[in-house]
Amino acid sequence: MSSGSAAGWGESIAQAAEALRKARHVCVLTGAGISAESGIPTFRDALTGLWSKFSPQELATPEAFARDPETVWSWYEWRRELVRQAQPNAGHLALAELARRVPGLTLVTQNVDGLHQRAGSQGVLEYHGNILRDRCTVEQIVAERSEDTRTGLPRCAACGGLLRPDVVWFGEAIPAGPMTLAAAAAEDCDVFLSVGTSSLVYPAAGLAEVALRRRATVVEINLNETDLSPHADLVLAGPSGQMLPALLQAMS
Ligand code: BV8
């Protein structure tokens, strides 16, 4: 079901608002699209400048890090700066408010930018980790940085081991906690919101499929069609920074 026209999405927004008003448990999955209006490029957006010759999928791998940790670290440091300068937008803020309007809400994000937490969302499941944390490659725990920067690459203050960003790279497992809690929420929810994601990266993209199988009302909010669009009950085709506040408005 698609609703490109204003009249169309007005009706779909009303139907989505009705489903949310009656909801017992809402599960929300967000992707890079919700942070686009905060100035953070999505994975689909071609990398610019000195990164234009790389694809995110090739840089965000343990193989790339093993081969060339300097390049991978400087890419993450570039992205960290973008995240530090970014502010949560109306879409992030609307999801924090939605959690206060429904009995239960589980927010699962593929984003590593921490903007949901900065918008006031509680208990955010960081499905792919967080870019602002360092993890020790020896102890495999979140670690502090050593003051000793002689080696150029960040080192663990405790054991001197090489640090890496605390994110999930392609080919790596999703952290057990978020993986289990997100799957349970997709199984249990009666409304599933898929916001700003291309629904191409697994196992995250499988969560909407679980919700569909469980006959939850699946609502997609995206600027563009995705593989999920034909299967969703409602599609709100527009920027999440406008659609989510409009949804809250329609609920009141
Ligand atoms: C694993 C962290 C095994 C790092 C990321 C099944 C089928 C096919 C492939 C696989 C499969 N199962 C596994 C795979 C392989 C792979 C995968 O899915 N590949 C894809 C590319 C085909 N998955 C994995 O490797 C996963 N691990 O399977 O491990 C295993 C199991 C057990 C034990 C050991 C190993 C790990 C995947 C996680 C990788 N890490 N990020 C970092 O950030 O640096 S993924 C990263 O890319 C993001 O986190 C996100 O998940 C993904 C990008 O997707 P989106 O967020 O959706 O963003 P995208 O740019 O694609 O799209 C943006 C959307 O927003 C668009 O639709 C656009 O229209 C829309 N939009 C734009 N602006 C707006 C908007 N919408 C609304 N408003 C706007 N303003």
Side-chain angles (χ1 to χ4, degrees), residues 1-3 197-198 220 222-230 235 237:
M1 161 145 14
S2 183
S3 54
T197 180
S198 54
E220 181 182 58
N222 198 303
L223 273 181
N224 303 294
E225 287 263 329
T226 73
D227 291 0
L228 177 64
S229 309
V235 174

Side-chain angles (χ1 to χ4, degrees), residues 31-33 36-37 42-44 57 60 76 79 110 112 128 168-173 196-198 200-202 222-224 238-240:
E37 293 158 74
T42 71
F43 265 63
R44 255 26 31 221
Q57 255 148 276
Y76 277 97
R79 291 174 61 194
Q110 298 168 80
V112 295
H128 293 160
V168 179
W169 281 331
F170 288 95
E172 294 186 325
T197 180
S198 54
L200 291 173
V201 172
Y202 283 79
N222 198 303
L223 273 181
N224 303 294
S240 51

Side-chain angles (χ1 to χ4, degrees), residues 87-129:
Q87 292 301 323
N89 63 59
H92 298 106
L93 296 167
L95 286 178
E97 174 58 24
L98 179 61
R100 292 186 281 270
R101 303 252 194 111
V102 296
L105 184 143
T106 303
L107 177 49
V108 186
T109 189
Q110 298 168 80
N111 301 340
V112 295
D113 56 33
L115 289 180
H116 285 300
Q117 293 91 325
R118 287 169 56 192
S121 286
Q122 309 295 317
V124 177
L125 300 180
E126 296 183 315
Y127 211 69
H128 293 160

Side-chain angles (χ1 to χ4, degrees), residues 14-129:
Q15 289 176 22
E18 179 57 20
L20 287 169
R21 261 195 300 275
K22 291 195 299 227
R24 169 189 51 76
H25 181 190
V26 178
C27 181
V28 182
L29 175 69
T30 64
I34 197 169
S35 294
E37 293 158 74
S38 295
I40 298 181
T42 71
F43 265 63
R44 255 26 31 221
D45 295 337
L47 287 178
T48 54
L50 51 82
W51 302 109
S52 53
K53 59 181 184 299
F54 296 97
S55 89
Q57 255 148 276
E58 92 200 2
L59 281 170
T61 63
E63 294 77 20
F65 190 67
R67 202 173 43 245
D68 182 356
E70 287 80 8
T71 297
V72 171
W73 255 122
S74 35
W75 182 51
Y76 277 97
E77 287 301 352
W78 174 71
R79 291 174 61 194
R80 280 182 171 184
E81 210 34 50
L82 289 178
V83 166
R84 291 192 189 102
Q85 286 158 20
Q87 292 301 323
N89 63 59
H92 298 106
L93 296 167
L95 286 178
E97 174 58 24
L98 179 61
R100 292 186 281 270
R101 303 252 194 111
V102 296
L105 184 143
T106 303
L107 177 49
V108 186
T109 189
Q110 298 168 80
N111 301 340
V112 295
D113 56 33
L115 289 180
H116 285 300
Q117 293 91 325
R118 287 169 56 192
S121 286
Q122 309 295 317
V124 177
L125 300 180
E126 296 183 315
Y127 211 69
H128 293 160

Side-chain angles (χ1 to χ4, degrees), residues 170-222:
F170 288 95
E172 294 186 325
I174 306 301
M179 176 92 163
T180 311
L181 293 169
E187 290 271 347
D188 177 66
C189 69
D190 39 20
V191 176
F192 186 97
L193 293 185
S194 176
V195 183
T197 180
S198 54
S199 299
L200 291 173
V201 172
Y202 283 79
L207 294 168
E209 293 162 8
V210 169
L212 281 167
R213 275 199 301 278
R214 305 287 294 179
R215 300 264 175 282
T217 301
V218 173
V219 180
E220 181 182 58
I221 298 176
N222 198 303

